[in-house]
Amino acid sequence: MHVREILVNVDIDLFSPTLVGCAVGLAKRFDAGLIGISAAAPNVAAMGYEGAAAVGLLFEQEQRDIEGRLAQLEALFRKAVPAGIPAAWRGYVGQPNATVARIARCADLIITGSNFGGPTRSPNRSIDTGELLVKAGRPVIIAGVGLSEIRANRIVVGWKDSREARRAIVDALPLLLAATQVTIATIHEADLGEEKASLEDVVGWLRRHGVESRADTVPASGGGPAEALEALASKLEADLIVTGGYGHGRMREWLFGGMTRDLLSDRTVHRFMSN
């Protein structure tokens, strides 16, 4: 895989020059183009037959407001992208997750911010990163809040012998090749001998692709696998965590918790996830 086109999601309500700057940095590193995308849908509740005319007027007004805002965001986006980087803009009146997932067909990688405002925001105006991860069919980098660049020089890969983890390490290969330090870490949960054998296979596979890495088996912590992985990343001063997403299914993690859900809620570090 080569990173030739990066899709960066621009929040309709909060333009983040820092997030665009993160995307610009990666575009420079991989000689890639950028596509800025933003979407929102009118959020008008039904009022019944007698209120249909009023609903229609409100819908049209909100649609015009969205179109005006998209034009503003395009100007901000183009101003934030240096002239030497090929850049395109796509603004849509539509549901954000479905729109970004559809336009992911144009890109090798998606960059989005950590959820702004949490679950209280309307799904018609904000990205649900978990849903995007499942639907996009592309790897997603969820940028940490306030981090001005995605250096990806020191990377920790959270490894578990699952389909999602295998997919993630393949998708992350361009970043791993460019990194100065790569650690493949598994959280000890089952048979230690099998876990170490799995890690050795991954380290060997990466070496054949030109990536030198080290393996680490991390004891599980009381806070769960995500906390243990985050602690290791902090210890190694890693600037990117790579994992598969929703190995147990999104609904199960929503009900019972899991690594993906916990990592998505961590806004202090960049996370590369693939499903």
Side-chain angles (χ1 to χ4, degrees), residues 91-163:
Y92 297 91
V93 178
Q95 204 279 335
N97 270 89
T99 302
V100 175
R102 184 177 74 252
I103 304 305
R105 65 195 175 208
C106 300
D108 304 297
L109 175 67
I110 301 169
I111 298 178
T112 188
S114 298
N115 280 7
F116 295 108
T120 60
R121 289 196 62 197
S122 165
N124 283 343
R125 298 187 71 87
S126 65
I127 285 287
D128 179 329
T129 49
E131 181 182 340
L132 179 64
L133 178 61
V134 171
K135 291 184 175 180
R138 292 290 189 272
V140 179
I141 290 182
I142 304 101
V145 173
L147 301 179
S148 60
E149 60 180 329
I150 302 173
R151 295 188 300 274
N153 287 328
R154 297 185 177 188
I155 299 176
V156 169
V157 178
W159 174 256
K160 187 173 186 177
D161 197 9
S162 65
R163 184 194 70 83

Side-chain angles (χ1 to χ4, degrees), residues 76-268:
L76 291 169
F77 172 76
R78 293 192 181 279
K79 183 178 179 181
V81 178
I85 296 177
W89 174 259
R90 298 200 177 199
Y92 297 91
V93 178
Q95 204 279 335
N97 270 89
T99 302
V100 175
R102 184 177 74 252
I103 304 305
R105 65 195 175 208
C106 300
D108 304 297
L109 175 67
I110 301 169
I111 298 178
T112 188
S114 298
N115 280 7
F116 295 108
T120 60
R121 289 196 62 197
S122 165
N124 283 343
R125 298 187 71 87
S126 65
I127 285 287
D128 179 329
T129 49
E131 181 182 340
L132 179 64
L133 178 61
V134 171
K135 291 184 175 180
R138 292 290 189 272
V140 179
I141 290 182
I142 304 101
V145 173
L147 301 179
S148 60
E149 60 180 329
I150 302 173
R151 295 188 300 274
N153 287 328
R154 297 185 177 188
I155 299 176
V156 169
V157 178
W159 174 256
K160 187 173 186 177
D161 197 9
S162 65
R163 184 194 70 83
E164 292 78 17
R166 296 181 203 120
R167 182 72 264 160
I169 205 167
V170 170
D171 288 343
L173 197 54
L175 292 167
L176 298 174
L177 283 164
T180 57
Q181 176 183 293
V182 176
T183 302
I184 315 299
T186 192
I187 309 302
H188 175 44
E189 295 177 310
D191 182 270
L192 183 60
E194 177 59 32
E195 290 170 346
K196 287 185 175 181
S198 177
L199 282 174
E200 289 172 5
D201 285 342
V202 175
V203 169
W205 178 83
L206 283 172
R207 185 177 299 116
R208 289 189 289 275
H209 284 272
V211 178
E212 289 299 324
S213 61
R214 61 179 288 268
D216 200 345
T217 304
V218 182
S221 71
E227 183 177 285
L229 192 64
E230 290 161 349
L232 176 65
S234 177
K235 176 183 175 182
L236 297 175
E237 298 182 343
D239 39 52
L240 184 68
I241 294 176
V242 172
T243 65
Y246 292 118
H248 293 117
R250 189 176 185 224
M251 180 58 72
R252 179 176 171 181
E253 289 213 10
W254 183 77
L255 290 170
F256 302 110
M259 178 180 280
T260 305
R261 192 188 72 172
D262 291 343
L263 284 175
L264 285 175
S265 67
D266 183 352
R267 297 154 62 93
T268 65

